[in-house]
Amino acid sequence: MTTQMTRYIIGVDGGGSKTLGLLANERGQILASNGAGPSNYQVLGLEKAIENINKTISPLLAEIAGEKAKVYVILGSAGIGRAQDKERMKRALTKKLRRDTELVVTSDAYIALIGALGGAYGVAVNAGTGAIAMGLNKDGQFARADGWGYMLGDEGGGYWIGLEAIK
């Protein structure tokens, strides 16, 4: 007789203002949530970003401590749109996770797009601390416009709105 291993998912949205995480079972039931400060490593530096991501994830992992389980952590974080940024974040964060964890690292824009479209293809505009327009075509190709930070645009994002108010 084989014992089926329990599977859990921790979804993390790491933004320029805050980091939020949810622990769910494989049926999609939310079991716990937690948050910490921002995690855009381009602004904070890698060490501080990892610290805030770890502050978000660690209590969620503690919820299932002692269980024989497979854990999937999906991190979507601001500032990691390029492949080398994703790899750098993945290497640093992997050192903090339990051995039975599979880690997926992508941008916060991508997880927002996938969440907004619910598996379909289309276009979404996201305005938070920054702003980005992005889309996914029927072949699964991702494209983006803006979302490069306050120095290069982000018209419609919180930083831009505040700056315009001051002007």
Side-chain angles (χ1 to χ4, degrees):
M1 184 164 109
T2 59
T3 305
Q4 188 171 357
M5 187 179 297
T6 306
R7 294 183 294 185
Y8 294 98
I9 300 127
I10 296 176
V12 181
D13 180 6
S17 301
K18 64 183 177 279
T19 302
L20 297 173
L22 295 175
L23 169 67
N25 63 23
E26 59 190 306
R27 293 182 306 282
Q29 296 170 306
I30 306 300
L31 306 174
S33 64
N34 195 44
S39 54
N40 182 336
Y41 100 93
Q42 301 288 356
V43 175
L44 299 173
L46 186 61
E47 187 175 315
K48 184 65 177 172
I50 291 294
E51 179 183 319
N52 285 334
I53 294 166
N54 195 42
K55 282 181 184 177
T56 300
I57 293 173
S58 291
L60 300 177
L61 289 171
E63 292 280 331
I64 55 174
E67 288 190 41
K68 185 172 175 71
K70 178 70 178 174
V71 181
Y72 301 88
V73 174
I74 294 86
L75 167 66
S77 188
I80 57 172
R82 299 176 306 167
Q84 61 264 35
D85 296 323
K86 291 175 190 173
E87 188 54 39
R88 187 172 184 210
M89 180 67 77
K90 188 171 186 173
R91 275 194 316 271
L93 191 54
T94 297
K95 298 173 187 174
K96 304 278 186 183
L97 300 174
R98 40 190 272 182
R99 280 186 310 194
D100 58 0
T101 302
E102 187 171 320
L103 176 63
V104 175
V105 175
T106 191
S107 71
D108 62 338
Y110 189 75
I111 64 168
L113 178 66
I114 297 302
L117 298 179
Y121 59 91
V123 176
V125 176
N126 187 4
T129 304
I132 187 171
M134 61 217 143
L136 196 63
N137 71 16
K138 62 184 176 184
D139 297 323
Q141 295 170 308
F142 175 76
R144 64 183 278 170
D146 213 344
W148 299 110
Y150 70 91
M151 291 183 70
L152 298 175
D154 278 358
E155 286 86 354
Y159 184 92
W160 179 84
I161 291 169
L163 186 59
E164 290 299 304
I166 292 169
K167 288 180 184 176

